[in-house]
Amino acid sequence: MWGASLTIAVALLGLLVGTTSGYPTPPEKAAPLYSDLTPEELKAVQHFLMNRPELRLQPNQGGTLDKNCLFLVEFLAPRKSQALNYLDAGGPLPRRRARAVVFFGAEANPNVTEYIVGPLPKPTFYRPFGSPLPYTSRPMNQLEYHLLYNRLQEVLAPLRLFLEKISGFKLEPCGDRCMTFTDVAPRGQESGERRTWIILQRALEGSYLHPVGLELLIDHRPLDPAAWQVQKLWYNGQYFDSPEELAEKYDLGQVEVVPLPEHPQHSLFSTFVPRGNFTTGPPTDTHGAKVCEPSGHQYYVRGNWLEYSGWSMTIRMRTSTGLQLFDVRFNGERMAYELGVQEAVAFYGGSSPATMQTKYIDLGYMMGGLSHELAPGIDCPEVATFLDVHHMHDSDRPVRYPRAICIFELPTGVPLRRHFDSNFHGGSNFYAGLEGHALVLRTTSTVYNYDYIWDVLLFPNGVLEMKVHATGYVHASFYTPEGLQYGNRIHSHLLGNLHTHLIHYKVDLDVAGAANCFETLETAFEETAVPWQAGARMVVPRLERRRRTRERQAAFPFGEPLPRYLLVSNRRRRGPFGHPRSYRLQLTSHADRLLPRGAREERGVAWSRYHLAVTRHHPREDTSSSMYIQNNPWEPSVDFESFLQDNEKLDDQDLVAWVTVGFLHIPHSEDIPNTSTPGNSAGLFLRPFNFFEEDPSVASRRTVIVRPTKGTQGPGVAIQRWTPNRPGRCISDVPFSYNGTYSPV
């Protein structure tokens, strides 16, 4: 069993850069338990379902929307109870299964149905996984986008001259001056609709910064594209009922036209091409500082198993949500069962109809399936270990995404610990410090204009950080004076619209076991007598401990103070000094609510009401969002608020912390050409709190201690270290390479 399972794990996460030889064999149980589906398993699921005559499945590519097709296949992780029974109690190995999403467009009542398929690698059964969902809730696929683009060419034909005059670009045939578009969501105002606002743009590098000023609403609910109709248009602040009306009023001179700057003379601003010069400092046409590894990789990677300075875990890249960690341990002891992103949203404000409507709920675009190639030396250090992943999403074959994950050790630039012990006479009693390093596990999701950089950082003191950086292009609109209430003018014809980014994490901690409690600590001030001075009084801070014994007590809405110490503890397992062994959640965020409670779309993102909500673990509450909420937030397939409605007890239970982090982004001129990463990040730390007897990083040999000595030659120093005196050569000779493709296998 282990040999076959190891083959599965290694095949999925293809190792492109070798790790240090001589590393130990990863635990036989955990690694294959959570490994993603191999290309062979993906094909086996597809072949099995395509050959079920009752499903009447057709290929994804080509054809019409009124067909049945297999939209998504991904690994379905085992239930936690089954996994722990296998890992900890010697129970049976859970069967490998897949989750399959089928679009039933050819049925009398079109719907989306999910199935469980297994066992793998040779499936013999499939059964429904939940109830069928409305067909209008389905994510967009390539076929629908292709048909939508073609239909836009037809319905906008009356505006061919108008578009060429205002933008210098054309509908097809268009040569190298074509139009493109961005569609926004949700697609309508109520459940059952599929009406999308479209922003027309010039097809240039950074097309998101080149809106032509025309937005249109198209109804594409019918499965026959010939029935799709434009219901409304907006240009430069004016509304029109049809393309013909806009064309007629333009001919009559009744439309205030704003011509765009000439291309290519004035369109360089949206590119990465360097321009201008720094007025100080040396030239920048040389390489900057690099990460190097003088002793090779100081971590082990084997398939989906990772080890580093006490840490061990399994990793997977879920197509729908992205990077997940399972069975996270420090020095062999589990501290978390599952960690990962659940959802990312960006809700906008604006005066144009498209920006008023824009409420992106990114799980609807398969965040994990948008994990494109990472560039060595830019996205990750050249010395990083790069891993491939495979997805089968909106495709008729598994697709290999090369270098979608990278792993590297990062010098943090600040010591993990240090102290200079002054003798207050011009010298020291000793100096000691520990090099600051962290292992970084990184991937990205490029959802339309935005690039999310997802990081997990592992520190040798038992601290784990999960963080996201937001970069890429802003989702901009055509500038009108009315728009200044909703953002800044960031270029001649461009408005950067305000928006809020929120990220939702699932943090399933098992602190010294699964039976945990939740407690918050704060400080309060008390006035007390001064014991050594009669009649005197002073104010001192003291601890206020509050056990949160019910789910509602452990839910912290935005707008109310969040306690500064949030502890998941095991009361039955205590440290040597009597304290419960605990881990602390520490948020790094400027998040606030997306919408007022009760707003129509707000129900679909009910998790965004809370900084943090701690609930009992239940298999039916496995995820806080779903891919169908983007196009149907009014009747969400997952209602996070229901997780809290029963207000269950939390003491000595298996707990899950649901964490919301994020920030408000008001675009400004420095977001041209792109939003930069400094300051645009959010995340959380998991920090041990009386979990260990002492800081576990004392096991690291990267410490230096310097003590003064007195010898015959006068004062000197004795340097004590456990690593070589010289770090050695560490510059890589491997030239830069990047392909940027992902292809069926």
Side-chain angles (χ1 to χ4, degrees), residues 657-695:
W658 306 90
V659 180
T660 306
V661 298
F663 54 90
L664 171 67
H665 185 191
I666 304 174
H668 42 87
S669 57
E670 292 81 8
D671 283 306
I672 299 294
N674 297 92
T675 296
S676 55
T677 52
N680 289 309
S681 63
L684 69 147
F685 288 90
L686 301 177
R687 301 178 59 186
F689 190 83
N690 296 317
F691 187 83
F692 302 103
E693 292 188 13
E694 60 181 348
D695 186 333

Short mmCIF file of all heavy atoms in Angstrom, two decimals, residues 657-695:
data_model
loop_
_atom_site.label_atom_id
_atom_site.label_comp_id
_atom_site.label_asym_id
_atom_site.label_seq_id
_atom_site.Cartn_x
_atom_site.Cartn_y
_atom_site.Cartn_z
N ALA A 657 -11.66 27.34 14.16
CA ALA A 657 -11.66 28.81 14.15
C ALA A 657 -11.78 29.28 12.70
O ALA A 657 -10.99 28.88 11.85
CB ALA A 657 -10.39 29.35 14.79
N TRP A 658 -12.78 30.11 12.44
CA TRP A 658 -12.99 30.70 11.11
C TRP A 658 -12.56 32.15 11.19
O TRP A 658 -13.16 32.95 11.91
CB TRP A 658 -14.46 30.58 10.72
CG TRP A 658 -15.00 29.18 10.79
CD1 TRP A 658 -15.60 28.58 11.87
CD2 TRP A 658 -14.99 28.19 9.75
NE1 TRP A 658 -15.96 27.29 11.56
CE2 TRP A 658 -15.61 27.02 10.28
CE3 TRP A 658 -14.54 28.19 8.43
CZ2 TRP A 658 -15.77 25.86 9.53
CZ3 TRP A 658 -14.70 27.04 7.69
CH2 TRP A 658 -15.30 25.89 8.22
N VAL A 659 -11.53 32.51 10.47
CA VAL A 659 -10.85 33.80 10.62
C VAL A 659 -11.03 34.64 9.36
O VAL A 659 -10.80 34.15 8.25
CB VAL A 659 -9.35 33.59 10.91
CG1 VAL A 659 -8.65 34.94 11.07
CG2 VAL A 659 -9.15 32.74 12.15
N THR A 660 -11.42 35.89 9.54
CA THR A 660 -11.57 36.83 8.44
C THR A 660 -10.54 37.94 8.57
O THR A 660 -10.45 38.60 9.61
CB THR A 660 -12.97 37.47 8.42
OG1 THR A 660 -13.96 36.44 8.41
CG2 THR A 660 -13.15 38.35 7.20
N VAL A 661 -9.74 38.14 7.52
CA VAL A 661 -8.76 39.21 7.50
C VAL A 661 -8.89 39.96 6.18
O VAL A 661 -9.49 39.47 5.22
CB VAL A 661 -7.31 38.69 7.67
CG1 VAL A 661 -7.14 38.00 9.01
CG2 VAL A 661 -6.95 37.72 6.54
N GLY A 662 -8.33 41.15 6.12
CA GLY A 662 -8.40 41.90 4.87
C GLY A 662 -8.06 43.35 5.06
O GLY A 662 -7.52 43.77 6.08
N PHE A 663 -8.44 44.16 4.07
CA PHE A 663 -8.13 45.58 4.11
C PHE A 663 -8.97 46.32 3.07
O PHE A 663 -9.48 45.74 2.12
CB PHE A 663 -6.64 45.83 3.85
CG PHE A 663 -6.11 45.21 2.58
CD1 PHE A 663 -6.13 45.91 1.38
CD2 PHE A 663 -5.59 43.93 2.59
CE1 PHE A 663 -5.65 45.33 0.22
CE2 PHE A 663 -5.10 43.34 1.43
CZ PHE A 663 -5.14 44.05 0.24
N LEU A 664 -9.11 47.61 3.32
CA LEU A 664 -9.75 48.52 2.37
C LEU A 664 -8.69 49.05 1.41
O LEU A 664 -7.61 49.44 1.84
CB LEU A 664 -10.40 49.69 3.11
CG LEU A 664 -10.92 50.85 2.26
CD1 LEU A 664 -12.11 50.41 1.41
CD2 LEU A 664 -11.30 52.04 3.15
N HIS A 665 -9.00 49.03 0.12
CA HIS A 665 -8.08 49.57 -0.88
C HIS A 665 -8.77 50.71 -1.61
O HIS A 665 -9.78 50.51 -2.29
CB HIS A 665 -7.68 48.48 -1.87
CG HIS A 665 -6.65 48.92 -2.87
ND1 HIS A 665 -6.30 48.19 -3.98
CD2 HIS A 665 -5.87 50.05 -2.93
CE1 HIS A 665 -5.38 48.82 -4.67
NE2 HIS A 665 -5.10 49.96 -4.05
N ILE A 666 -8.25 51.91 -1.44
CA ILE A 666 -8.69 53.08 -2.21
C ILE A 666 -7.59 53.36 -3.22
O ILE A 666 -6.54 53.92 -2.86
CB ILE A 666 -8.94 54.30 -1.30
CG1 ILE A 666 -9.95 53.94 -0.20
CG2 ILE A 666 -9.42 55.48 -2.12
CD1 ILE A 666 -10.14 55.04 0.82
N PRO A 667 -7.75 52.95 -4.45
CA PRO A 667 -6.67 53.10 -5.43
C PRO A 667 -6.22 54.55 -5.58
O PRO A 667 -7.01 55.49 -5.45
CB PRO A 667 -7.29 52.55 -6.72
CG PRO A 667 -8.33 51.58 -6.26
CD PRO A 667 -8.90 52.22 -5.03
N HIS A 668 -4.94 54.70 -5.89
CA HIS A 668 -4.32 56.01 -6.03
C HIS A 668 -3.36 55.96 -7.20
O HIS A 668 -3.13 54.88 -7.78
CB HIS A 668 -3.61 56.41 -4.73
CG HIS A 668 -2.85 55.28 -4.10
ND1 HIS A 668 -1.54 54.97 -4.42
CD2 HIS A 668 -3.24 54.35 -3.20
CE1 HIS A 668 -1.15 53.92 -3.72
NE2 HIS A 668 -2.16 53.52 -2.97
N SER A 669 -2.77 57.07 -7.53
CA SER A 669 -1.96 57.13 -8.76
C SER A 669 -0.79 56.17 -8.72
O SER A 669 -0.34 55.70 -9.78
CB SER A 669 -1.47 58.57 -8.99
OG SER A 669 -0.71 59.04 -7.89
N GLU A 670 -0.31 55.84 -7.53
CA GLU A 670 0.80 54.90 -7.44
C GLU A 670 0.38 53.45 -7.70
O GLU A 670 1.22 52.55 -7.72
CB GLU A 670 1.47 55.00 -6.07
CG GLU A 670 2.19 56.31 -5.82
CD GLU A 670 1.26 57.44 -5.39
OE1 GLU A 670 0.05 57.16 -5.14
OE2 GLU A 670 1.72 58.59 -5.30
N ASP A 671 -0.91 53.21 -7.90
CA ASP A 671 -1.37 51.89 -8.34
C ASP A 671 -1.24 51.72 -9.85
O ASP A 671 -1.67 50.70 -10.41
CB ASP A 671 -2.83 51.67 -7.93
CG ASP A 671 -2.95 51.32 -6.45
OD1 ASP A 671 -2.29 50.37 -6.03
OD2 ASP A 671 -3.69 52.01 -5.73
N ILE A 672 -0.66 52.70 -10.52
CA ILE A 672 -0.32 52.60 -11.94
C ILE A 672 1.17 52.26 -12.03
O ILE A 672 1.99 52.95 -11.44
CB ILE A 672 -0.60 53.92 -12.68
CG1 ILE A 672 -2.09 54.26 -12.60
CG2 ILE A 672 -0.13 53.85 -14.13
CD1 ILE A 672 -2.98 53.31 -13.34
N PRO A 673 1.58 51.21 -12.72
CA PRO A 673 0.71 50.32 -13.49
C PRO A 673 0.04 49.24 -12.66
O PRO A 673 -0.96 48.67 -13.08
CB PRO A 673 1.67 49.70 -14.50
CG PRO A 673 2.98 49.65 -13.77
CD PRO A 673 3.01 50.91 -12.94
N ASN A 674 0.63 48.91 -11.49
CA ASN A 674 0.12 47.79 -10.70
C ASN A 674 0.09 48.14 -9.23
O ASN A 674 0.87 48.97 -8.76
CB ASN A 674 1.02 46.54 -10.84
CG ASN A 674 1.06 46.01 -12.24
OD1 ASN A 674 1.94 46.39 -12.99
ND2 ASN A 674 0.14 45.14 -12.58
N THR A 675 -0.78 47.45 -8.52
CA THR A 675 -0.77 47.52 -7.07
C THR A 675 0.46 46.79 -6.55
O THR A 675 0.73 45.66 -6.96
CB THR A 675 -2.05 46.88 -6.50
OG1 THR A 675 -3.19 47.65 -6.94
CG2 THR A 675 -2.02 46.85 -4.99
N SER A 676 1.21 47.42 -5.68
CA SER A 676 2.43 46.80 -5.14
C SER A 676 2.12 46.08 -3.83
O SER A 676 1.14 46.39 -3.14
CB SER A 676 3.52 47.85 -4.93
OG SER A 676 3.04 48.90 -4.10
N THR A 677 2.97 45.14 -3.49
CA THR A 677 2.69 44.29 -2.33
C THR A 677 2.91 44.98 -0.98
O THR A 677 2.19 44.66 -0.03
CB THR A 677 3.54 43.01 -2.40
OG1 THR A 677 4.92 43.34 -2.59
CG2 THR A 677 3.09 42.13 -3.56
N PRO A 678 3.90 45.89 -0.80
CA PRO A 678 4.10 46.46 0.54
C PRO A 678 2.85 47.17 1.05
O PRO A 678 2.29 48.05 0.38
CB PRO A 678 5.26 47.45 0.34
CG PRO A 678 6.01 46.92 -0.84
CD PRO A 678 4.96 46.35 -1.73
N GLY A 679 2.38 46.78 2.21
CA GLY A 679 1.20 47.39 2.81
C GLY A 679 -0.10 46.76 2.38
O GLY A 679 -1.14 47.01 3.01
N ASN A 680 -0.08 45.96 1.31
CA ASN A 680 -1.31 45.33 0.83
C ASN A 680 -1.29 43.84 1.17
O ASN A 680 -1.20 42.98 0.29
CB ASN A 680 -1.45 45.53 -0.68
CG ASN A 680 -1.78 46.97 -1.02
OD1 ASN A 680 -2.69 47.56 -0.47
ND2 ASN A 680 -1.00 47.55 -1.93
N SER A 681 -1.33 43.56 2.45
CA SER A 681 -1.29 42.18 2.90
C SER A 681 -2.11 42.05 4.17
O SER A 681 -2.41 43.03 4.85
CB SER A 681 0.15 41.72 3.15
OG SER A 681 0.75 42.48 4.19
N ALA A 682 -2.47 40.82 4.46
CA ALA A 682 -3.23 40.52 5.67
C ALA A 682 -3.02 39.05 5.99
O ALA A 682 -2.62 38.27 5.12
CB ALA A 682 -4.71 40.82 5.48
N GLY A 683 -3.28 38.68 7.21
CA GLY A 683 -3.10 37.28 7.56
C GLY A 683 -3.27 37.05 9.04
O GLY A 683 -3.91 37.84 9.76
N LEU A 684 -2.67 35.96 9.52
CA LEU A 684 -2.75 35.63 10.93
C LEU A 684 -1.55 34.80 11.33
O LEU A 684 -0.93 34.13 10.50
CB LEU A 684 -4.03 34.86 11.25
CG LEU A 684 -4.15 33.44 10.70
CD1 LEU A 684 -4.93 32.56 11.67
CD2 LEU A 684 -4.85 33.45 9.35
N PHE A 685 -1.24 34.87 12.61
CA PHE A 685 -0.21 34.04 13.22
C PHE A 685 -0.87 33.00 14.12
O PHE A 685 -1.87 33.30 14.79
CB PHE A 685 0.75 34.87 14.08
CG PHE A 685 1.69 35.75 13.31
CD1 PHE A 685 1.34 37.05 12.98
CD2 PHE A 685 2.94 35.28 12.93
CE1 PHE A 685 2.21 37.88 12.30
CE2 PHE A 685 3.83 36.10 12.24
CZ PHE A 685 3.46 37.40 11.92
N LEU A 686 -0.29 31.82 14.16
CA LEU A 686 -0.60 30.82 15.18
C LEU A 686 0.64 30.71 16.05
O LEU A 686 1.70 30.29 15.59
CB LEU A 686 -0.93 29.48 14.53
CG LEU A 686 -2.12 29.49 13.56
CD1 LEU A 686 -2.31 28.12 12.93
CD2 LEU A 686 -3.40 29.92 14.28
N ARG A 687 0.51 31.13 17.31
CA ARG A 687 1.67 31.24 18.19
C ARG A 687 1.49 30.36 19.42
O ARG A 687 0.43 30.40 20.07
CB ARG A 687 1.85 32.70 18.64
CG ARG A 687 2.05 33.68 17.51
CD ARG A 687 2.16 35.11 18.02
NE ARG A 687 3.27 35.26 18.95
CZ ARG A 687 3.52 36.38 19.64
NH1 ARG A 687 2.72 37.43 19.49
NH2 ARG A 687 4.54 36.43 20.46
N PRO A 688 2.51 29.57 19.76
CA PRO A 688 2.38 28.74 20.97
C PRO A 688 2.27 29.63 22.21
O PRO A 688 2.95 30.65 22.32
CB PRO A 688 3.66 27.92 20.97
CG PRO A 688 4.63 28.67 20.13
CD PRO A 688 3.81 29.39 19.10
N PHE A 689 1.40 29.22 23.13
CA PHE A 689 1.17 29.98 24.36
C PHE A 689 1.12 28.96 25.50
O PHE A 689 0.11 28.32 25.72
CB PHE A 689 -0.15 30.75 24.25
CG PHE A 689 -0.39 31.75 25.35
CD1 PHE A 689 0.17 33.01 25.28
CD2 PHE A 689 -1.16 31.42 26.45
CE1 PHE A 689 -0.05 33.95 26.30
CE2 PHE A 689 -1.39 32.34 27.47
CZ PHE A 689 -0.83 33.61 27.40
N ASN A 690 2.25 28.80 26.18
CA ASN A 690 2.40 27.76 27.20
C ASN A 690 2.25 26.36 26.61
O ASN A 690 1.93 25.41 27.34
CB ASN A 690 1.41 27.95 28.35
CG ASN A 690 1.65 29.23 29.12
OD1 ASN A 690 2.79 29.58 29.42
ND2 ASN A 690 0.57 29.94 29.42
N PHE A 691 2.50 26.23 25.33
CA PHE A 691 2.41 24.92 24.68
C PHE A 691 3.68 24.11 24.92
O PHE A 691 3.63 22.90 25.14
CB PHE A 691 2.16 25.10 23.19
CG PHE A 691 1.89 23.81 22.45
CD1 PHE A 691 0.62 23.26 22.43
CD2 PHE A 691 2.90 23.16 21.76
CE1 PHE A 691 0.36 22.07 21.76
CE2 PHE A 691 2.66 21.97 21.08
CZ PHE A 691 1.38 21.43 21.08
N PHE A 692 4.82 24.79 24.87
CA PHE A 692 6.12 24.15 25.08
C PHE A 692 6.65 24.52 26.46
O PHE A 692 6.23 25.51 27.07
CB PHE A 692 7.13 24.59 24.02
CG PHE A 692 6.70 24.29 22.60
CD1 PHE A 692 6.21 25.30 21.79
CD2 PHE A 692 6.80 23.01 22.08
CE1 PHE A 692 5.82 25.04 20.48
CE2 PHE A 692 6.42 22.74 20.78
CZ PHE A 692 5.93 23.75 19.97
N GLU A 693 7.62 23.77 26.93
CA GLU A 693 8.26 24.11 28.20
C GLU A 693 9.14 25.34 28.07
O GLU A 693 9.34 26.08 29.04
CB GLU A 693 9.09 22.92 28.70
CG GLU A 693 8.26 21.71 29.10
CD GLU A 693 9.10 20.63 29.76
OE1 GLU A 693 10.26 20.91 30.12
OE2 GLU A 693 8.59 19.51 29.90
N GLU A 694 9.70 25.55 26.90
CA GLU A 694 10.51 26.73 26.60
C GLU A 694 10.45 26.94 25.09
O GLU A 694 9.84 26.15 24.37
CB GLU A 694 11.95 26.54 27.07
CG GLU A 694 12.66 25.36 26.43
CD GLU A 694 14.08 25.20 26.96
OE1 GLU A 694 14.58 26.11 27.63
OE2 GLU A 694 14.69 24.15 26.67
N ASP A 695 11.05 28.00 24.62
CA ASP A 695 11.06 28.27 23.19
C ASP A 695 11.74 27.10 22.48
O ASP A 695 12.93 26.83 22.70
CB ASP A 695 11.82 29.57 22.92
CG ASP A 695 11.77 30.01 21.46
OD1 ASP A 695 11.62 29.13 20.58
OD2 ASP A 695 11.88 31.21 21.20
#
